[in-house]
Amino acid sequence: MEVTGEPIRVQSLLQSGISRVPPEYIQPPQNRPIQTDPDATIPVVDLFHFNTNHRESTREAIARACHEWGAFHVTNHGIPATLLDTVRRAGLAFFNECPMPEKLRYSCTAGAAASEGYGSRMLVSSEDEGNNTVSQVLDWRDYFDHHTFPLSRRNPNRWPNFTSDYRESVAKYSDEMKILAQKLLAFISESLGLRSSCIEDAVGDFYQNITISYYPPCPQPDLTLGLQSHSDMGAITLLIQDDVGGLQALKKGGESWVTVQPLSGAILVLLGDQTEIITNGKYRSCVHRAVTNPDRPRLSVATFHDPGKTVKISPASELITDSSPAKYRGVVYGDYVSSWYTKGPDGKRNIDALLLES
Ligand SMILES: O=C(O)CCC(=O)C(=O)O
Ligand SMILES: [Fe+2]
């Protein structure tokens, strides 16, 4: 998702032997990772392989997790552990072993938001409240973004083939994640008393992107963030990480960050802003960020499921009553995305702009 110029890869910066991070990566004091709440943990929901005998209790567990966190791990989700490992291994091989000149052949298009390929910068500058351009602090992260659904956007020839099974594995993973996202949205809809297809119908055909993020070790982790605080823009994100750890989430109404401890074999579900709008705020999108560490590179694979750019998202009519009026105005998804890229993620500022006066 490059926005201007040919950016510096964080990995190259590290390999140049620096012992201090350049000033553009230094977060203002209020955004630095200071401490986390050691007692709180993200809920774990057992999906029991979608066995109907467990549907009621799973639905209740999902309702609690969506209400309190907008994030939860799922186990017994039916995706083979070997597929999760293969995708992580393929991603790691690209970042760790592929020579930089070859990596650069896959660079994102400079100046185009959310373009496919190898990148480092989500945005270079953004606007403040007074529409003044401000420089963004840079994330300590490189990534590879794959366009995977609808199939008309999927062209594996644009993906690395550094390991011989890379393209095939990402395609297979994309198919499996789409099915899991559909099943989870059905559960989430039902948990609010809505028909199973309610949220999926509102989102329409998924636009799915898979972003593999690579966070090189950082010489000054106390001053930097691997990825700044944000909520995901779309409907639902499915994320796997390696065993290094570094993802943090905010509980609803919480002030302190909670580490999302890697849970072997589990998949993390993160609700995005469009699900918050469709559920009329009954479920909140999860604010999260990634921190860095001085010792080990970290890898995560995030699979985003978003509406098409022309789809208008509004609170589900079934959830609007006299006593529970619409909290958000409807928004065309493409406009929401443009505003995100102009203003920057900065917590939940973007979705808050849609709040109606109550
Ligand atoms: O690396 C992570 O764990 C978080 C990635 C993420 O939040 C994103 O790509 O939107
Ligand atoms: Fe995210």
Side-chain angles (χ1 to χ4, degrees):
M1 292 186 265
E2 305 307 336
V3 177
T4 56
E6 188 57 42
I8 294 171
R9 309 296 159 184
V10 177
Q11 196 176 12
S12 307
L13 201 58
L14 185 75
Q15 284 164 355
S16 70
I18 53 161
S19 58
R20 303 173 78 81
V21 303
E24 9 357 330
Y25 294 88
I26 296 184
Q27 294 288 338
Q30 70 275 19
N31 291 351
R32 291 180 194 164
I34 306 196
Q35 67 193 126
T36 52
D37 178 346
D39 299 325
T41 49
I42 294 283
V44 182
V45 175
D46 190 336
L47 295 178
F48 293 103
H49 295 278
F50 299 91
N51 181 322
T52 43
N53 292 336
H54 292 276
R55 210 161 171 90
E56 184 62 41
S57 57
T58 304
R59 214 185 273 133
E60 284 166 13
I62 286 183
R64 270 194 306 277
C66 289
H67 180 68
E68 290 173 13
W69 289 89
F72 53 99
H73 273 125
V74 289
T75 57
N76 293 317
H77 41 64
I79 315 285
T82 46
L83 181 59
L84 309 186
D85 288 341
T86 305
V87 167
R88 276 187 289 246
R89 227 185 354 255
L92 209 53
F94 173 73
F95 286 101
N96 272 347
E97 291 161 33
C98 181
M100 187 53 81
E102 190 179 334
K103 280 202 199 98
L104 291 173
R105 288 203 291 116
Y106 296 101
S107 285
C108 292
T109 312
S115 88
E116 190 168 38
Y118 179 48
S120 301
R121 291 182 184 188
M122 211 147 50
L123 5 140
V124 166
S125 59
S126 60
E127 286 176 6
D128 65 11
E129 304 291 343
N131 295 339
N132 304 307
T133 300
V134 288
S135 282
Q136 280 284 313
V137 178
L138 299 181
D139 295 321
W140 194 261
R141 173 183 84 137
D142 297 328
Y143 62 82
F144 200 106
D145 193 18
H146 312 72
H147 291 180
T148 42
F149 273 109
L151 287 177
S152 55
R153 295 169 76 233
R154 187 192 289 183
N155 181 356
N157 292 328
R158 293 198 287 252
W159 306 342
N161 60 353
F162 186 69
T163 54
S164 58
D165 61 350
Y166 187 106
R167 293 174 178 173
E168 189 193 322
S169 308
V170 171
K172 173 105 185 80
Y173 186 75
S174 151
D175 294 343
E176 296 276 355
M177 288 296 121
K178 178 180 175 187
I179 295 168
L180 181 59
Q182 286 169 321
K183 290 180 177 171
L184 286 164
L185 287 182
F187 252 132
I188 293 168
S189 300
E190 289 170 23
S191 74
L192 285 169
L194 300 167
R195 64 183 196 286
S196 309
S197 65
C198 183
I199 299 178
E200 195 186 337
D201 289 348
V203 173
D205 241 0
F206 287 155
Y207 275 64
Q208 186 201 58
N209 287 350
I210 298 182
T211 301
I212 305 185
S213 294
Y214 180 83
Y215 304 91
C218 180
Q220 293 179 291
D222 300 347
L223 302 182
T224 48
L225 284 174
L227 186 56
Q228 62 190 296
S229 163
H230 66 285
S231 53
D232 293 342
M233 283 181 279
I236 187 167
T237 305
L238 302 179
L239 185 137
I240 57 173
Q241 53 177 329
D242 60 17
D243 63 349
V244 174
L247 178 61
Q248 298 181 342
L250 274 185
K251 192 174 181 180
K252 181 182 173 187
E255 305 266 296
S256 51
W257 290 94
V258 174
T259 300
V260 180
Q261 296 293 356
L263 182 62
S264 176
I267 295 173
L268 181 74
V269 180
L270 291 163
L271 300 191
D273 294 343
Q274 306 315 304
T275 297
E276 178 168 331
I277 297 171
I278 295 165
T279 64
N280 200 31
K282 297 220 162 8
Y283 293 160
R284 308 271 294 186
S285 59
C286 176
V287 176
H288 54 283
R289 69 180 186 185
V291 301
T292 61
N293 78 78
D295 306 314
R296 292 177 68 193
R298 170 173 179 263
L299 185 106
S300 73
V301 183
T303 307
F304 304 97
H305 300 87
D306 302 345
K309 293 279 168 62
T310 57
V311 175
K312 184 163 183 194
I313 299 291
S314 318
S317 57
E318 296 89 326
L319 296 175
I320 311 292
T321 59
D322 286 345
S323 58
S324 168
K327 284 195 185 146
Y328 305 87
R329 64 181 168 78
V331 65
V332 175
Y333 185 62
D335 295 342
Y336 192 79
V337 173
S338 309
S339 124
W340 196 95
Y341 279 106
T342 315
K343 293 205 181 102
D346 196 16
K348 294 182 68 73
R349 203 145 50 98
N350 294 293
I351 194 165
D352 287 350
L354 302 177
L355 278 171
L356 294 167
E357 309 241 331
S358 55

